[in-house]
Amino acid sequence: MNKWGKLSLGMVLAVGLLSGCGQNKNDNDTAASGNANSGAVTKKLIMGTSADFPPYEFHKVVDGKDTIVGFDIDIAKEIAADMGAELEVKDLPFDSLLNELSSGRVDMVISGLSPTEERKKAVELSDIYYKAEQAIVVREADKDKYATMDAVKGTKIGVQTGSIQEEIAKEIEGAKITSLGKISEIVLQLQSNRIDTAIIEGPVAKSFVKNLAGLVITDAKPEVEDDGYAIGIKKGNTELLDKVNATLKRLESEGKIDEYVAAASELAESTK
């Protein structure tokens, strides 16, 4: 999706507290939930994501409410907490995330974002926080048919628009590529026989095949150099970049990211 890799526009989830981020340009601004008469200043750290990328970020009913969860969300909460900030999560189409970041409508993008050279020129990228393999997903009846990458050549391949998987597909000989905004849309295309194969990031693919009968991951492995995933920050905002990297370093040293991945994977695979 990777992500590059990732449902409803403007979905918001509040989870923590920050200063000097988002569109709060004035240090005296107060959040809508704050008490303007108390003198307390509540700042927001606005995260952009595409929440159809389990276990990274996805929708789940929690205590009767539609909630965006996942280990990217857990990481974002920690970043906000370390900054004394309130976290606001905006659910957007994956291919719009970097534009939202460059425009200042979000402060950071956490959405299975691969650190490509093109992205490095456009935005600041954090240290790598996670690496995962890519997977070929097919209908169960076609598992043996598409067991190698040679067999995938010339097939109709579904990928997420603007993702690293889209770039992988472009390198496959004879590929007829269908690029869509959401992983769920790609899966639907596969289920309805409109495409033959789909390239999906490993943990995301595992989550979908666990929850949907009739889909499997084949033995075919896209040969790509995995640079892992980074957090995107507006170009020039090195202050936020440093704070994000500090939190990532702490989480890594504490072994927290692996814990978040395991918990989010279990949540994604549980009954919806």
Side-chain angles (χ1 to χ4, degrees), residues 135-155:
I136 302 293
V137 179
V138 300
R139 292 176 291 276
E140 191 169 12
D142 293 334
K143 182 177 182 179
D144 294 333
K145 182 178 179 180
Y146 299 121
T148 67
M149 289 307 297
D150 278 342
V152 175
K153 292 178 180 178
T155 62

Side-chain angles (χ1 to χ4, degrees), residues 77-90:
K77 289 179 181 180
E78 290 292 327
I79 293 169
D82 283 352
M83 299 176 69
E86 177 184 353
L87 179 67
E88 179 178 308
V89 180
K90 290 190 175 182

Side-chain angles (χ1 to χ4, degrees), residues 30 34-40:
T30 58
N35 184 343
N37 295 323
S38 69

Side-chain angles (χ1 to χ4, degrees), residues 6-33:
K6 342 285 21 43
L7 291 154
S8 56
L9 295 178
M11 183 72 184
V12 174
L13 173 66
V15 289
L17 251 191
L18 160 72
S19 54
C21 291
Q23 298 184 46
N24 297 320
K25 306 302 182 185
N26 188 327
D27 286 345
N28 293 319
D29 288 346
T30 58
S33 60

Side-chain angles (χ1 to χ4, degrees), residues 50-185:
S50 182
D52 66 333
F53 201 56
Y56 293 79
E57 47 271 325
F58 56 103
H59 287 261
K60 188 83 173 179
V61 175
V62 178
D63 296 330
K65 295 181 179 180
D66 181 28
T67 306
I68 300 176
V69 296
F71 75 84
D72 275 351
I73 306 301
D74 293 331
I75 291 171
K77 289 179 181 180
E78 290 292 327
I79 293 169
D82 283 352
M83 299 176 69
E86 177 184 353
L87 179 67
E88 179 178 308
V89 180
K90 290 190 175 182
D91 183 10
L92 303 160
F94 184 79
D95 57 356
S96 73
L97 289 174
L98 295 190
N99 286 335
E100 292 294 300
L101 184 61
S102 296
S103 70
R105 287 187 285 270
V106 301
D107 299 304
M108 62 181 185
V109 166
I110 314 182
S111 197
L113 195 68
S114 298
T116 64
E117 291 303 318
E118 182 179 1
R119 286 171 178 168
K120 289 177 182 178
K121 294 175 183 177
V123 300
E124 305 289 350
L125 291 170
S126 73
D127 296 336
I128 299 300
Y129 66 89
Y130 188 69
K131 291 186 177 183
E133 64 182 13
Q134 305 300 320
I136 302 293
V137 179
V138 300
R139 292 176 291 276
E140 191 169 12
D142 293 334
K143 182 177 182 179
D144 294 333
K145 182 178 179 180
Y146 299 121
T148 67
M149 289 307 297
D150 278 342
V152 175
K153 292 178 180 178
T155 62
K156 297 176 183 177
I157 304 176
V159 293
Q160 188 172 41
T161 304
S163 69
I164 190 69
Q165 291 80 27
E166 187 175 48
E167 297 305 311
I168 293 170
K170 289 177 182 178
E171 298 300 317
I172 296 175
E173 183 180 333
K176 302 171 184 68
I177 302 171
T178 296
S179 298
L180 297 168
K182 302 173 184 177
I183 302 295
S184 56
E185 293 175 342

Side-chain angles (χ1 to χ4, degrees), residues 136-254:
I136 302 293
V137 179
V138 300
R139 292 176 291 276
E140 191 169 12
D142 293 334
K143 182 177 182 179
D144 294 333
K145 182 178 179 180
Y146 299 121
T148 67
M149 289 307 297
D150 278 342
V152 175
K153 292 178 180 178
T155 62
K156 297 176 183 177
I157 304 176
V159 293
Q160 188 172 41
T161 304
S163 69
I164 190 69
Q165 291 80 27
E166 187 175 48
E167 297 305 311
I168 293 170
K170 289 177 182 178
E171 298 300 317
I172 296 175
E173 183 180 333
K176 302 171 184 68
I177 302 171
T178 296
S179 298
L180 297 168
K182 302 173 184 177
I183 302 295
S184 56
E185 293 175 342
I186 297 167
V187 169
L188 183 59
Q189 292 280 309
L190 191 58
Q191 291 175 311
S192 60
N193 295 295
R194 292 186 178 91
I195 59 175
D196 304 309
T197 61
I199 305 176
I200 302 175
E201 196 268 351
V204 181
K206 289 177 183 177
S207 176
F208 273 98
V209 301
K210 280 266 190 179
N211 286 288
L212 297 173
L215 298 181
V216 295
I217 296 172
T218 74
D219 291 333
K221 300 292 183 185
E223 295 181 5
V224 294
E225 183 177 344
D226 183 13
D227 292 326
Y229 295 135
I231 295 171
I233 296 161
K234 187 174 181 179
K235 200 70 174 177
N237 193 349
T238 55
E239 180 180 359
L240 179 55
L241 178 65
D242 289 344
K243 291 176 180 179
V244 166
N245 281 334
T247 297
L248 293 178
K249 185 176 181 179
R250 175 179 65 79
L251 294 176
E252 183 178 3
S253 68
E254 296 172 352

